[in-house]
Amino acid sequence: MSNRLQYETSPYLLQHKDNPVDWYPWCEEAFERAREEDKPIFLSIGYSACHWCHVIAHESFEDQEIAELLNQHFISIKVDKEERPDIDGVYMAVCQAFTGSGGWPTSIFMTWEQKPFFAGTYFPRTTQGGRIGLRELLWKIQNVWEHDRESLLRQSEQIIHHLNQSDERKGEISLKFVRLAVESYQRVYDSQYGGFGQAPKFPAPHNLLFLLSYYERCQDADCLSMAEHTLLQMYRGGLFDHIGFGFCRYSTDSRFLVPHFEKMLYDNALLILAYCKAYTVTKKKLYLHIAEKTAEYILREMSSEEGGFYSAQDADSEGEEGKYYLFTPDEIIRVLGKENGEIFNKQYGIEEKGNFEGKNILHLLESDPEDETLSSFLTQLYQYRKNRYALHLDDKILTSWNSLMIAAMCELYLASQRENYLQAALRADVFIQADLMEADTLFVSCRKGQRGVKGFLDDYASYIFAQLALHQVTLEERYLTRADKMCQKVIHDFGDKAGGFYLYSHYGEKLILRPKETYDGAIPSGNSLMAYNLVRLSSLTDQPLYQEAVKQQLQYMAADASKYPTGYGMYWTALLEYLS
């Protein structure tokens, strides 16, 4: 029998509608029931393409014993992080405060007043390898809730007090800090395999955009070398899908060979921007070719008939991670024939022993990435692969991610002068106006004609970013006018006189925290994007409002950026443009 999630539209929530767990979506009814029955709340946050979200679901949320424990002693709430980035942002900060790290699924235990007292990420069903199992954890929390609740509540108040501390600060706006940021990237750069830091390696294309911009303005050859090597290695490795195109979410190894196989719209949007920038700076056609391959994937597999772009494709097929993408040498030979198959296997690194769990991820790490002699075979393998296994598609359409892809398509049009990319951008913009906007109010998402909640900072910041890109390629005043109007709304609804922008507006649902996220993760933060937008608007308009706002935003961001430079690539790009 289906639970309450059967009435939701989120693909992630619908994945859990047949769990024996009595899930609620985030709603007042759930908190009221917890209060009436004097029960703690178990909050589980994830997203539809998340591998470990699937693992915990199969191990625990489909398990009758775990479900009975949750149903008897807890009120359980399931949240899609992509539809409610405010809830995710608040409780990810909580998880990091408790554990020192974060990730999905995020598992939070809290009171009906939404005050957290314990947090973590993935828990196995039972205790193993030094990690407590969810079954044992539920019993422990239930026992402490019954017999020592005061200790839980004290811990909760301490965490909330810590996270609500005032963050008034100002940093210095100076080119010397941009230079220090470059030096920070140099220190963590992997000169052997490209990328930054140790595995897992995320693409973080906004960091590469910064390095390319710095090279363009300051002629620092080291910045160009770091960016080019990383862009080339990501394409040559298994992070790029050489048969169907597009990039996976991150690499689990240093070489960019073994990806985490889910594909996200935002990664591919930002990577198109990065490869276009590399082409603009170097005029090497390979970079434009990679950007166009990525766009081909988006237009073929991630686009709705109405013009919007879908969110993600899953990592798993038939319950196995990466199964959709893996091949054996014999399988290739069966499809292409002996002679062609053997040549193809050699070029794409397909071996008998395999390079991932006995099978093979296609890659060009030992081959010439510009050799296109076997490209005709890719179409044949693509059709074969499509009929072999199915991939789950998260078909909700998100305002922020669609806006990033609009900007990417605009940039690709500028680089290639191919009209279809501009048309894709224009159609997606029309879609947002029709389905994700009402007057000057944006909505986070839509699916099957149903809108999600009202938009957050990232939605507005990304949408302004898209409008500025559309203005740049069309020179039509309406896009600049819309960017101007939306920016003024952000300043009014999300701004803080002390500096920076809040994640949710003054009129949004009040949560236990009202964070101002500045750090760039897989996507540039709303505050980083707003710094960039304000730089552009201050140079494109003569409004005193922007002259003052941009200075305040850059100073506000400078304080954190100077402490952890490699987490602020988009901010450095904005600052570099401002100082230039």
Side-chain angles (χ1 to χ4, degrees):
M1 188 172 175
S2 297
N3 55 45
R4 291 169 181 80
L5 300 184
Q6 66 184 299
Y7 305 112
E8 299 300 305
T9 59
S10 157
Y12 176 62
L13 299 192
L14 289 171
Q15 285 171 353
H16 296 80
K17 69 181 176 61
D18 296 321
N19 292 168
V21 177
D22 186 15
W23 291 112
Y24 281 85
W26 182 277
C27 61
E28 194 53 46
E29 181 189 352
F31 297 108
E32 184 57 29
R33 185 180 158 199
R35 187 187 66 79
E36 288 174 356
E37 298 182 11
D38 192 31
K39 289 179 178 177
I41 283 169
F42 171 60
L43 171 66
S44 177
I45 305 170
Y47 59 101
S48 76
C50 166
H51 172 68
W52 288 104
C53 299
H54 297 330
V55 174
I56 199 171
H58 297 320
E59 286 180 350
S60 296
F61 302 149
E62 294 171 7
D63 180 80
Q64 200 62 45
E65 182 186 4
I66 298 287
E68 285 174 10
L69 272 171
L70 284 167
N71 296 343
Q72 185 176 350
H73 300 295
F74 299 83
I75 301 299
S76 301
I77 296 176
K78 179 64 75 174
V79 165
D80 182 337
K81 85 174 189 75
E82 294 162 1
E83 288 198 338
R84 290 302 302 265
D86 56 335
I87 297 168
D88 177 58
V90 164
Y91 289 102
M92 183 57 71
V94 165
C95 183
Q96 289 168 336
F98 268 99
T99 68
S101 62
W104 298 279
T106 313
S107 304
I108 306 288
F109 293 89
M110 62 187 187
T111 70
W112 55 80
E113 294 171 307
Q114 302 176 17
K115 295 180 177 181
F117 54 80
F118 190 80
T121 53
Y122 162 78
F123 294 101
R125 182 183 175 277
T126 56
T127 299
Q128 52 187 265
R131 184 190 285 262
I132 190 169
L134 187 59
R135 184 180 66 181
E136 290 81 4
L137 181 61
L138 293 174
W139 279 120
K140 284 192 174 201
I141 286 177
Q142 160 61 13
N143 184 54
V144 180
W145 179 263
E146 288 293 327
H147 301 105
D148 189 16
R149 193 178 304 183
E150 283 305 310
S151 68
L152 295 179
L153 298 181
R154 275 197 307 274
Q155 189 159 302
S156 174
E157 292 299 334
Q158 287 168 0
I159 286 288
I160 292 168
H161 175 74
H162 167 71
L163 292 172
N164 269 315
Q165 301 245 322
S166 172
D167 69 341
E168 289 188 28
R169 72 259 193 182
K170 271 189 180 181
E172 187 183 340
I173 300 175
S174 168
L175 193 60
K176 72 179 179 185
F177 290 110
V178 183
R179 181 63 221 167
L180 288 172
V182 168
E183 290 171 6
S184 295
Y185 284 105
Q186 288 169 326
R187 280 194 294 273
V188 296
Y189 171 62
D190 182 343
S191 58
Q192 184 174 7
Y193 297 123
F196 301 89
Q198 304 299 311
K201 287 181 176 175
F202 288 78
H206 33 292
N207 291 337
L208 304 176
L209 283 166
F210 162 61
L211 293 172
L212 289 164
S213 295
Y214 191 84
Y215 167 75
E216 201 172 30
R217 287 170 171 79
C218 304
Q219 295 302 299
D220 185 318
D222 204 27
C223 285
L224 180 62
S225 174
M226 288 190 289
E228 281 202 85
H229 184 202
T230 301
L231 287 166
L232 194 56
Q233 194 76 4
M234 289 195 299
Y235 170 66
R236 294 178 74 178
L239 192 71
F240 186 79
D241 173 9
H242 292 279
I243 289 178
F245 309 152
F247 287 86
C248 297
R249 185 162 167 254
Y250 64 84
S251 176
T252 63
D253 69 329
S254 295
R255 298 175 66 207
F256 289 105
L257 171 63
V258 181
H260 192 41
F261 292 92
E262 64 208 47
K263 288 182 181 175
M264 314 301 290
L265 183 68
Y266 62 79
D267 280 323
N268 286 282
L270 292 165
L271 282 160
I272 289 172
L273 287 171
Y275 282 100
C276 283
K277 183 72 173 179
Y279 170 71
T280 303
V281 168
T282 67
K283 299 304 178 191
K284 293 179 183 176
K285 289 188 177 177
L286 177 62
Y287 299 132
L288 179 59
H289 182 58
I290 297 166
E292 290 200 274
K293 279 185 173 182
T294 307
E296 183 182 333
Y297 157 70
I298 294 297
L299 296 174
R300 185 182 57 216
E301 295 192 34
M302 299 291 283
S303 301
S304 72
E305 289 182 11
E306 299 79 17
F309 301 110
Y310 299 132
S311 294
Q313 282 179 328
D314 213 323
D316 296 13
S317 296
E318 300 183 345
E320 290 183 34
E321 186 184 7
K323 187 174 183 178
Y324 179 83
Y325 297 99
L326 303 176
F327 283 88
T328 63
D330 290 346
E331 198 174 9
I332 297 287
I333 287 168
R334 279 201 308 273
V335 178
L336 300 181
K338 189 170 186 344
E339 185 179 346
N340 292 334
E342 286 177 352
I343 295 168
F344 187 92
N345 286 340
K346 185 176 181 183
Q347 179 156 343
Y348 284 92
I350 300 171
E351 303 169 336
E352 282 297 332
K353 63 181 179 181
N355 55 36
F356 180 73
E357 297 181 357
K359 294 188 177 180
N360 289 274
I361 299 161
L362 275 68
H363 67 88
L364 294 170
L365 290 170
E366 277 86 43
S367 302
D368 180 0
E370 298 189 68
D371 183 356
E372 289 287 306
T373 54
L374 302 182
S375 59
S376 60
F377 297 134
L378 297 176
T379 305
Q380 205 173 335
L381 287 167
Y382 175 75
Q383 292 302 329
Y384 167 77
R385 192 178 72 175
K386 272 192 79 173
N387 296 324
R388 190 179 59 163
Y389 305 119
L391 271 185
H392 168 72
L393 174 72
D394 185 331
D395 60 356
K396 70 176 177 292
I397 295 173
L398 295 165
T399 298
S400 59
W401 299 3
N402 270 252
S403 297
L404 293 175
M405 188 54 76
I406 288 170
M409 290 292 176
C410 287
E411 203 62 41
L412 188 51
Y413 166 70
L414 280 178
S416 68
Q417 290 301 299
R418 293 190 176 177
E419 189 70 22
N420 61 315
Y421 301 132
L422 177 57
Q423 291 307 313
L426 293 171
R427 287 185 71 227
D429 186 56
V430 169
F431 180 90
I432 289 177
Q433 290 175 59
D435 290 66
L436 288 160
M437 183 185 284
E438 203 171 277
D440 65 348
T441 298
L442 290 169
F443 292 82
V444 170
S445 63
C446 68
R447 183 174 181 267
K448 296 190 174 177
Q450 246 183 291
R451 283 176 180 161
V453 297
K454 288 182 179 179
F456 301 101
L457 176 63
D458 288 14
D459 299 296
Y460 285 91
S462 301
Y463 185 67
I464 295 164
F465 184 67
Q467 296 307 297
L468 291 169
L470 285 164
H471 174 256
Q472 183 183 10
V473 297
T474 65
L475 299 180
E476 291 183 24
E477 196 69 19
R478 59 185 168 137
Y479 297 115
L480 183 58
T481 301
R482 199 177 296 141
D484 173 30
K485 183 180 179 184
M486 285 297 192
C487 197
Q488 292 196 43
K489 180 181 174 67
V490 170
I491 291 169
H492 182 267
D493 291 0
F494 295 85
D496 181 7
K497 288 177 182 176
F501 297 95
Y502 290 108
L503 176 58
Y504 58 88
S505 77
H506 304 311
Y507 313 109
E509 179 184 347
K510 299 296 182 282
L511 302 173
I512 57 163
L513 310 174
R514 196 171 174 217
K516 285 188 275 187
E517 296 180 341
T518 60
Y519 174 84
D520 290 345
I523 309 180
S525 69
N527 270 287
S528 284
L529 274 176
M530 281 308 300
Y532 182 86
N533 292 337
L534 286 165
V535 169
R536 294 289 306 279
L537 281 164
S538 68
S539 66
L540 289 167
T541 71
D542 56 1
Q543 292 194 44
L545 169 70
Y546 295 136
Q547 309 304 320
E548 185 53 41
V550 68
K551 192 174 178 183
Q552 185 185 42
Q553 181 68 359
L554 292 171
Q555 286 177 331
Y556 175 80
M557 295 282 292
D560 279 348
S562 58
K563 290 177 197 166
Y564 186 54
T566 56
Y568 289 83
M570 195 71 201
Y571 166 74
W572 296 122
T573 303
L575 181 57
L576 192 59
E577 188 152 323
Y578 177 79
L579 294 170
S580 303

